[in-house]
Amino acid sequence: MSQATATRTLTFSQAIREALREEMERDERVFVWGEDVAVYGGIYGATAGLLEQFGPGRVIDTPISETMIVGAAVGAAITGLRPVAELQSSGYFGIAMDELYHKAARWRYMHGGVFTVPLVIRLPEGAKGAGPEHDVSPEALFLSASGAYVVIPSDPADALGLMKSAIRDDNPVLFFEHAGLYAYRGEVPGGDHLVPLGEAAVKREGSDVTVIAWSRMVGESLRAAEQLEGEGIDVEVVDPRGLRPLDLDTILESVAKTGRVVIAHEAPKTGGAGGEVAAIIAEEALEYLESPIIRVASADVPIPQSRYLQQFLIPTAASVTEAVRRLD
Amino acid sequence: MSQATATRTLTFSQAIREALREEMERDERVFVWGEDVAVYGGIYGATAGLLEQFGPGRVIDTPISETMIVGAAVGAAITGLRPVAELQSSGYFGIAMDELYHKAARWRYMHGGVFTVPLVIRLPEGAKGAGPEHDVSPEALFLSASGAYVVIPSDPADALGLMKSAIRDDNPVLFFEHAGLYAYRGEVPGGDHLVPLGEAAVKREGSDVTVIAWSRMVGESLRAAEQLEGEGIDVEVVDPRGLRPLDLDTILESVAKTGRVVIAHEAPKTGGAGGEVAAIIAEEALEYLESPIIRVASADVPIPQSRYLQQFLIPTAASVTEAVRRLD
Amino acid sequence: MTAISPATLLELYESMVTMKLWDQTALRLLQEGRVLAGYHSGRGQEAIPAGGVAPLRRDDYLMYAHRGFGYTIAKGMSLAAMFGDLMANTAGATGGLGAGIPHFADPELGILGQGGTLGSCFGIATGAAFSAKYRGTDQVVVCFFGDGTANRGAFHESVNAAAAWKLPVVWICENNGYAVSVPVAESTAGRIVDRAAGYGMPGVRIDGMDVTEVYRATSEAVDRARAGEGPTLIEAMCHRFRGHYEGDPQVYRTEEETERLLALDPITNLEARLVADGIATDERLGELEVRVQDTIDRAVEEASSAPMPGPERLYEGLYV
Amino acid sequence: MTAISPATLLELYESMVTMKLWDQTALRLLQEGRVLAGYHSGRGQEAIPAGGVAPLRRDDYLMYAHRGFGYTIAKGMSLAAMFGDLMANTAGATGGLGAGIPHFADPELGILGQGGTLGSCFGIATGAAFSAKYRGTDQVVVCFFGDGTANRGAFHESVNAAAAWKLPVVWICENNGYAVSVPVAESTAGRIVDRAAGYGMPGVRIDGMDVTEVYRATSEAVDRARAGEGPTLIEAMCHRFRGHYEGDPQVYRTEEETERLLALDPITNLEARLVADGIATDERLGELEVRVQDTIDRAVEEASSAPMPGPERLYEGLYV
Ligand SMILES: Cc1ncc(C[n+]2csc(CCOP(=O)(O)OP(=O)(O)O)c2C)c(N)n1
Ligand SMILES: Cc1ncc(C[n+]2csc(CCOP(=O)(O)OP(=O)(O)O)c2C)c(N)n1
Ligand SMILES: [Mg+2]
Ligand SMILES: [Mg+2]
């Protein structure tokens, strides 16, 4: 921890790398594996330099074997290590789904609680022009993976602090990183910056409308909020920073205050996690609602590879602005 | 079609088998594969007798290779056949997730629409005392699998009619069958009984409360409705008979009539498909709601193997009754 | 081929007898309606868990399969705890969660548990072996699986990685000729043992009905693994005496086939050998059986006295 | 080993030249910012798609890999359509959905498409081969995949089933020594070709830089498959000349290594051989190249004139 207290400016990718580096320095049991994470430093650079610092014993290139990558991480975790495993794209979730959903999340519970499964699975997500199988944001599929945490940072400071907490946590953590954010720079606090898992951040306070957004849509929502401020609409942006555990208190408090809700995520609307959030609000806070809950999301089709077509499909600040204007 | 017009009484399992038999007789391209589907007739008996009638060329035992079972079904479907593939338990979804979600559902769209993918994947689901990986009801995970249909019958007549339609449809169909229903008997219309995909059934008309339920929870909800009738509450039970396409018209019409909604499914609440349904109502029909939307579902833990403990966890008619009573 | 000492032979025998009597007892409890889950009898295959686990140290790791309870019996798991899990009560290793058979584990004994989706064992075994090497211990992992399970893709991914990284694992395939109703020849191309060569590791096919063969092959493989020479694949040919699970109508094989198998009983055979070689008398073996049955009875009794869990058990242990 | 006729050699040569010039053109379009997706150059590996597809009939099936466009070029796919997909416009086989590279297909030519998750090809190939057999045709499937992809579990499941059922598939592994940055020796235990024996099918390792070896081995395998004798695994050893994708800094290998490879150019080598054997003159080969470039240029032109799709394209083709 060379810059123990000074604030730094890091990209999202560098923030992930710093978190890995700091935690690997702190705890010998932490190691990293995945495809091209060693010499190559990860296709998004998030593991660059780790091989040089920690050697091939702790920074390990795997075969193209996603089932093994996750399954063996569980085996390592229940025998005393703290793996940080990377799927090169969260689009490969389907290859490791049994290992993610039934092994990582449930090995502990299923065996009566005799193990801990301290591992982190890094899952780069989001649209980037890599085709319908790659450009997914599949976090909603893990809403029902009880036993696991689902964590999703939206800026470099949270990426650093959440990753460090995730590595230290004794529960399995699915850690989603939007590929479109990796190059995004931001201020990061110095010192041992930890962000607790399961605590939402009010990224912007406001009194008229609550926009609940995560991942890339937080930045878009903040831009929308600025735009709407000019129109006299005061938007609160709540970033749950993950879905499991979900910080209901912060969400419901905001809804009670504003009475109007927009939920924004990049995954297509149907089956996206906005459904769960909306349902909770419709069950717990209906009395406060002054307007229907609007979900801003991608259209209900696979994300095509063409970036040209993606412009018609992927939600942006403008989609949020438009939704807020539609509220009663 | 020996009993062309007479009504028959069949178990749910027999209804599935009759559908397979009738469609295999009608269309030579239809075949069945999966683990223990041939000599054994399927572990729930749903393929019993098919080997004898159609021979080993069309009723095929596979290795324990769920990835291949679904992947190769896609390969067969795009080259002119109409596979009906069985996963022995829907709990194995994770092994074939990439094939279900990204291949079966998306091969057509991804390649510009040049193929059709006419296949049915049979997915036995639900609690039965087989452990947390087996006793799942994972239909919600396919809400976002645009390109596929998600079909879920709740009684023998629908099982027969929906399966026949699913086999004839040129789109890939994920067909969920609750293991607890297989032995359940019911009247089945004679003749070429087809139930269209994506059409909800109002299983009971009522004016006070809409209960939206599917799979095993339809029967439980009907029992609850009877009970509540005695208390002067008139319950409408809407069975969407699947989630994709979702028959929104029927659901919203019922909600507009009753103003009160309970959604009942066996999957745990968080991440269950009740969230999507509730969110749609909160977006499209908020104005009609006189009470919060209550979801009746399993508790938010993996379903333990012990049937003893399952009694404290799995929703029943009593859970629906209790939820309806809680409505404002 | 080193000779196996009389003492070891007797231990192996006792281990197999325990498995057999355990199985009988479980079947009885099942008939009495006291078992709250399905059961896959291991009758006939005792030589493999006995000979495959005996060469392990207490701190070595075990990934077991769904056929019988032999693996964990051999690794020293509490019999009462296993009965408790069978009955889904609070005596069970899962504390009455009723995770039931066979999802129990004992980290102290290196028993790492079992997944309900076949093939879960492969990745976890590779990971545990990686962990042993990473931590600089000389622990070894033994992973048991059936012939049918060998066709899961996870086998390929995990066995390849373990071999590429020279990890200390012994892969033991119990080839009993069937996956539920499907004969191995219909579902499986080639011989399972020949897959080893494709991963550049030794593969050996043995008579899995002979505990001495299993013990020898596993000992050798464990030694290699412990010495850092990497994994081995053992294909142990065997026979399942009963149905896939209790209640299996076994329409896929003739009664004659099942009858013929009983003559191959690995326990009866070892018994005859022990007596013929003068290692034990019929009388002594009879006493041993009585003693084992007594131990089992006491374990059942202990387990039976435990209460069922309350609903709060559902919410324990999901998160740390 | 039968001799390959001069006419066939010239066809193979033309096929490889088309691939090379296609690649050059794609790289130019990429530099001009006209390609709306990533691109994995196939430069250096042309002998494998050329020799591996040429033995196929029009109605045989092709599952292709992500490296270059050689496979579909050889199968006769419209060049203009492929350029259209590269540019994500409506000339593309995906009609401007911009599913882009390499998710295009042509059922008329037996081109079954490609999955973005590596290893998707395996199951689909097995299914298509099953379908051919079921329908009583004698169609054959050829499935291409990289050394890295060979470590996916789907390989095991699909190759085993195809072998157990004696399906008409030819599995062609292009072993170019790397999966992105990871050398095959680090990720892969044993030799890929040796996996064949584990499935009881023939395996052959060949020089994938020599199109005649690829053509011969594939022809033999296709004949076997068509005759109902089941699948074959071919491991074609080769070299990738450029980065994994354009922009790859190639930190994982030295410049010397990359330089050395260029001397192994499969096209230059065939050229020399054609001339030495008197099959063609330098001049004639030069003319051929000009003709091919012309065809490609016209295809680019045709593709370039097509409009981009409108937003409504997103909603077409999802369901029948
Ligand atoms: C992934 C998966 N597929 C299918 C099953 C259902 N199943 C349980 S045991 C079994 C047969 C296993 O055969 P084998 O591996 O040979 O072991 P054996 O039962 O013969 O000991 C099957 C198909 C399962 N539990 N998991
Ligand atoms: C399942 C899956 N894992 C990882 C990737 C990312 N990826 C694309 S190409 C590639 C390397 C493939 O190596 P190989 O199979 O040897 O083919 P080559 O690129 O060398 O031709 C990787 C890791 C992917 N597309 N799919
Ligand atoms: Mg078996
Ligand atoms: Mg390669």
Side-chain angles (χ1 to χ4, degrees), chain C residues 39-85:
Chain C
Y39 180 66
H40 306 103
S41 167
R43 207 53 269 286
Q45 299 183 202
E46 291 87 350
I48 301 171
V53 172
L56 295 182
R57 289 195 319 228
R58 182 183 163 94
D59 68 339
D60 285 333
Y61 293 121
L62 169 67
M63 288 298 304
Y64 59 92
H66 59 280
R67 182 127 326 276
F69 282 59
Y71 326 94
T72 45
I73 289 173
K75 198 75 171 70
M77 180 115 184
S78 149
L79 299 181
M82 289 190 281
F83 279 118
D85 280 322

Coordinates of all heavy atoms in Angstrom, one line a residue, chain C residues 39-85:
Chain C
Y39 N -32.2 -43.9 -2.0 CA -31.0 -44.6 -1.6 C -30.5 -45.4 -2.8 O -31.2 -46.1 -3.4 CB -31.2 -45.5 -0.4 CG -30.0 -46.2 0.1 CD1 -28.9 -45.5 0.6 CD2 -29.9 -47.6 0.0 CE1 -27.8 -46.2 1.0 CE2 -28.8 -48.3 0.4 CZ -27.7 -47.6 0.9 OH -26.6 -48.3 1.3
H40 N -29.2 -45.3 -3.1 CA -28.5 -46.1 -4.1 C -27.7 -47.2 -3.4 O -26.6 -46.8 -2.9 CB -27.6 -45.3 -5.0 CG -28.3 -44.1 -5.6 ND1 -28.2 -42.8 -5.2 CD2 -29.2 -44.0 -6.7 CE1 -28.9 -42.0 -5.9 NE2 -29.5 -42.7 -6.8
S41 N -28.1 -48.4 -3.4 CA -27.3 -49.4 -2.7 C -26.0 -49.6 -3.4 O -25.8 -49.6 -4.6 CB -28.1 -50.8 -2.7 OG -27.3 -51.8 -2.3
G42 N -25.0 -49.9 -2.5 CA -23.6 -50.1 -3.0 C -23.3 -51.6 -2.9 O -22.1 -51.9 -3.2
R43 N -24.2 -52.4 -2.7 CA -24.0 -53.8 -2.6 C -23.3 -54.4 -3.8 O -23.8 -54.2 -4.9 CB -25.4 -54.6 -2.3 CG -25.4 -55.9 -1.5 CD -24.7 -55.8 -0.2 NE -23.3 -56.2 -0.4 CZ -22.8 -57.5 -0.6 NH1 -23.7 -58.5 -0.6 NH2 -21.6 -57.7 -0.7
G44 N -22.2 -55.1 -3.6 CA -21.5 -55.7 -4.7 C -20.2 -54.9 -5.0 O -19.2 -55.5 -5.5
Q45 N -20.2 -53.6 -4.7 CA -19.1 -52.8 -5.1 C -18.2 -52.4 -4.0 O -17.4 -51.5 -4.1 CB -19.6 -51.5 -5.8 CG -20.4 -51.8 -7.1 CD -20.9 -50.6 -7.9 OE1 -21.8 -50.7 -8.6 NE2 -20.3 -49.5 -7.7
E46 N -18.3 -53.1 -2.9 CA -17.6 -52.7 -1.7 C -16.0 -52.6 -1.8 O -15.3 -51.9 -1.1 CB -17.9 -53.6 -0.5 CG -19.3 -53.4 0.0 CD -20.3 -54.3 -0.7 OE1 -20.0 -54.9 -1.7 OE2 -21.5 -54.4 -0.2
A47 N -15.5 -53.5 -2.7 CA -14.1 -53.6 -2.8 C -13.4 -52.2 -3.3 O -12.3 -51.9 -2.9 CB -13.7 -54.6 -3.8
I48 N -14.2 -51.4 -4.0 CA -13.6 -50.2 -4.5 C -13.5 -49.1 -3.5 O -12.4 -48.6 -3.3 CB -14.4 -49.8 -5.8 CG1 -14.4 -50.9 -6.8 CG2 -13.8 -48.5 -6.4 CD1 -15.3 -50.7 -8.0
P49 N -14.6 -48.8 -2.8 CA -14.4 -47.8 -1.7 C -13.4 -48.3 -0.7 O -12.6 -47.5 -0.1 CB -15.8 -47.5 -1.2 CG -16.7 -48.6 -1.7 CD -16.0 -49.1 -3.0
A50 N -13.5 -49.6 -0.4 CA -12.6 -50.1 0.7 C -11.1 -50.0 0.2 O -10.3 -49.3 0.9 CB -12.9 -51.5 1.0
G51 N -10.8 -50.5 -0.9 CA -9.4 -50.5 -1.4 C -9.0 -49.1 -1.9 O -7.8 -48.8 -2.0
G52 N -9.9 -48.3 -2.3 CA -9.6 -47.0 -2.8 C -9.4 -45.9 -1.8 O -8.8 -44.9 -2.0
V53 N -10.0 -46.2 -0.6 CA -9.8 -45.2 0.5 C -8.7 -45.5 1.5 O -8.1 -44.7 2.1 CB -11.2 -44.9 1.2 CG1 -11.0 -44.0 2.4 CG2 -12.2 -44.3 0.2
A54 N -8.6 -46.8 1.7 CA -7.6 -47.3 2.7 C -6.2 -46.7 2.5 O -5.5 -46.4 3.5 CB -7.5 -48.8 2.7
P55 N -5.7 -46.5 1.3 CA -4.4 -45.9 1.2 C -4.3 -44.5 1.6 O -3.1 -43.9 1.5 CB -4.0 -46.1 -0.3 CG -5.0 -47.2 -0.8 CD -6.2 -47.0 0.0
L56 N -5.3 -43.8 1.9 CA -5.3 -42.4 2.2 C -5.0 -42.1 3.6 O -5.3 -42.9 4.5 CB -6.7 -41.8 1.9 CG -7.1 -41.8 0.4 CD1 -8.4 -41.1 0.3 CD2 -6.0 -41.1 -0.4
R57 N -4.3 -40.9 3.8 CA -4.1 -40.4 5.2 C -5.4 -39.7 5.6 O -6.2 -39.3 4.8 CB -3.0 -39.4 5.2 CG -1.6 -40.0 5.0 CD -0.5 -39.0 5.3 NE -0.8 -37.6 4.9 CZ 0.1 -36.8 4.3 NH1 1.3 -37.3 4.0 NH2 -0.2 -35.6 4.0
R58 N -5.5 -39.5 6.9 CA -6.6 -38.7 7.5 C -6.8 -37.4 6.8 O -7.9 -36.9 6.5 CB -6.4 -38.6 9.0 CG -7.5 -37.9 9.7 CD -7.2 -37.7 11.2 NE -8.1 -36.7 11.8 CZ -9.3 -37.0 12.4 NH1 -9.6 -38.2 12.5 NH2 -10.0 -36.0 12.9
D59 N -5.7 -36.7 6.5 CA -5.8 -35.4 5.9 C -5.9 -35.4 4.4 O -5.9 -34.3 3.8 CB -4.6 -34.5 6.4 CG -3.3 -34.9 5.9 OD1 -3.1 -36.1 5.4 OD2 -2.4 -34.0 5.8
D60 N -5.9 -36.5 3.8 CA -6.1 -36.6 2.3 C -7.6 -36.3 2.1 O -8.4 -36.5 2.9 CB -5.7 -37.9 1.8 CG -4.2 -38.1 1.7 OD1 -3.5 -37.1 1.5 OD2 -3.7 -39.2 1.7
Y61 N -7.9 -35.9 0.8 CA -9.2 -35.5 0.5 C -10.0 -36.6 -0.2 O -9.4 -37.3 -1.0 CB -9.2 -34.2 -0.4 CG -8.7 -33.0 0.3 CD1 -7.6 -32.3 -0.1 CD2 -9.4 -32.5 1.4 CE1 -7.1 -31.2 0.5 CE2 -8.9 -31.4 2.1 CZ -7.8 -30.7 1.6 OH -7.4 -29.6 2.2
L62 N -11.3 -36.6 0.0 CA -12.2 -37.5 -0.6 C -13.4 -36.8 -1.3 O -14.1 -36.1 -0.7 CB -12.7 -38.5 0.4 CG -13.9 -39.4 0.0 CD1 -13.4 -40.5 -1.0 CD2 -14.5 -40.2 1.2
M63 N -13.5 -37.1 -2.6 CA -14.8 -36.7 -3.3 C -15.5 -38.1 -3.6 O -14.9 -38.9 -4.3 CB -14.5 -36.0 -4.6 CG -14.0 -34.6 -4.4 SD -15.1 -33.4 -3.6 CE -16.6 -33.6 -4.6
Y64 N -16.6 -38.3 -3.0 CA -17.3 -39.6 -3.1 C -18.4 -39.6 -4.1 O -18.9 -38.5 -4.5 CB -17.7 -40.1 -1.7 CG -18.7 -39.2 -1.0 CD1 -20.1 -39.3 -1.1 CD2 -18.2 -38.2 -0.2 CE1 -21.0 -38.5 -0.4 CE2 -19.1 -37.3 0.5 CZ -20.5 -37.5 0.4 OH -21.4 -36.8 1.1
A65 N -18.9 -40.7 -4.4 CA -20.0 -40.9 -5.4 C -21.3 -41.3 -4.7 O -21.3 -41.4 -3.5 CB -19.6 -41.9 -6.5
H66 N -22.3 -41.4 -5.5 CA -23.7 -41.6 -4.9 C -24.0 -43.1 -4.6 O -25.1 -43.4 -4.1 CB -24.7 -41.1 -5.9 CG -24.6 -41.8 -7.2 ND1 -23.7 -41.5 -8.2 CD2 -25.3 -42.8 -7.7 CE1 -23.8 -42.3 -9.2 NE2 -24.8 -43.1 -9.0
R67 N -23.1 -44.0 -4.9 CA -23.4 -45.4 -4.7 C -23.0 -45.9 -3.4 O -21.8 -46.2 -3.1 CB -22.8 -46.2 -5.9 CG -23.1 -47.7 -5.8 CD -23.7 -48.3 -7.1 NE -24.6 -47.6 -7.9 CZ -25.9 -47.4 -7.7 NH1 -26.5 -47.9 -6.7 NH2 -26.6 -46.7 -8.6
G68 N -24.0 -46.1 -2.5 CA -23.7 -46.6 -1.1 C -22.9 -45.5 -0.3 O -22.7 -44.4 -0.7
F69 N -22.6 -46.0 0.9 CA -21.9 -45.1 1.8 C -20.5 -45.5 2.1 O -19.8 -45.1 3.0 CB -22.6 -45.0 3.2 CG -23.9 -44.1 3.1 CD1 -24.9 -44.4 2.2 CD2 -24.0 -43.0 4.0 CE1 -26.0 -43.5 2.2 CE2 -25.1 -42.2 3.9 CZ -26.1 -42.5 3.0
G70 N -20.0 -46.4 1.3 CA -18.7 -47.1 1.5 C -17.5 -46.1 1.6 O -16.6 -46.2 2.5
Y71 N -17.5 -45.1 0.8 CA -16.4 -44.1 0.7 C -16.2 -43.4 2.0 O -15.1 -43.4 2.6 CB -16.6 -43.1 -0.4 CG -17.4 -43.6 -1.6 CD1 -18.8 -43.5 -1.7 CD2 -16.7 -44.3 -2.6 CE1 -19.4 -44.0 -2.8 CE2 -17.4 -44.8 -3.7 CZ -18.7 -44.7 -3.8 OH -19.4 -45.1 -4.9
T72 N -17.3 -42.9 2.6 CA -17.2 -42.2 3.8 C -17.0 -43.1 5.0 O -16.4 -42.7 6.0 CB -18.4 -41.2 4.0 OG1 -19.6 -42.0 3.7 CG2 -18.3 -40.1 3.0
I73 N -17.6 -44.3 4.9 CA -17.4 -45.2 6.0 C -15.9 -45.5 6.1 O -15.3 -45.5 7.1 CB -18.1 -46.6 5.7 CG1 -19.7 -46.3 5.9 CG2 -17.6 -47.7 6.6 CD1 -20.5 -47.5 5.5
A74 N -15.3 -45.8 4.9 CA -13.8 -46.1 4.9 C -13.0 -44.9 5.4 O -11.9 -45.0 6.0 CB -13.4 -46.5 3.5
K75 N -13.5 -43.7 5.1 CA -12.7 -42.5 5.5 C -12.9 -42.2 7.0 O -12.3 -41.2 7.5 CB -13.1 -41.3 4.7 CG -12.1 -40.1 4.6 CD -10.8 -40.4 3.8 CE -9.9 -39.2 3.6 NZ -9.2 -38.7 4.7
G76 N -13.8 -42.9 7.7 CA -13.9 -42.7 9.1 C -15.0 -41.8 9.6 O -15.0 -41.4 10.8
M77 N -15.9 -41.5 8.7 CA -17.0 -40.6 9.1 C -17.9 -41.3 10.2 O -18.0 -42.5 10.2 CB -17.8 -40.4 7.9 CG -19.0 -39.5 8.1 SD -18.9 -37.9 7.2 CE -20.4 -37.1 7.7
S78 N -18.4 -40.5 11.0 CA -19.3 -41.0 12.1 C -20.5 -41.7 11.6 O -21.2 -41.2 10.8 CB -19.7 -39.8 13.0 OG -21.0 -40.1 13.6
L79 N -20.6 -43.0 12.0 CA -21.8 -43.8 11.5 C -23.1 -43.2 12.0 O -24.1 -43.1 11.2 CB -21.7 -45.2 12.0 CG -20.4 -46.0 11.5 CD1 -20.5 -47.4 12.1 CD2 -20.3 -46.1 10.0
A80 N -23.1 -42.7 13.2 CA -24.3 -42.1 13.7 C -24.7 -40.9 12.9 O -25.9 -40.6 12.6 CB -24.1 -41.8 15.2
A81 N -23.7 -40.1 12.5 CA -24.0 -38.9 11.8 C -24.6 -39.2 10.4 O -25.6 -38.6 10.0 CB -22.7 -38.0 11.6
M82 N -24.0 -40.3 9.8 CA -24.6 -40.7 8.5 C -26.0 -41.2 8.6 O -26.8 -40.9 7.8 CB -23.6 -41.7 7.9 CG -22.3 -41.1 7.4 SD -21.3 -42.2 6.4 CE -20.6 -43.2 7.7
F83 N -26.3 -42.0 9.7 CA -27.6 -42.4 9.9 C -28.6 -41.2 10.1 O -29.7 -41.2 9.7 CB -27.7 -43.5 11.0 CG -27.3 -44.8 10.6 CD1 -26.3 -45.5 11.2 CD2 -28.1 -45.5 9.6 CE1 -25.9 -46.8 10.8 CE2 -27.7 -46.8 9.2 CZ -26.6 -47.4 9.8
G84 N -28.0 -40.3 10.9 CA -28.9 -39.1 11.2 C -29.2 -38.4 9.9 O -30.4 -38.0 9.7
D85 N -28.3 -38.3 8.9 CA -28.6 -37.7 7.7 C -29.6 -38.5 6.9 O -30.5 -38.0 6.2 CB -27.3 -37.4 6.8 CG -26.6 -36.2 7.3 OD1 -27.2 -35.2 7.7 OD2 -25.3 -36.2 7.3

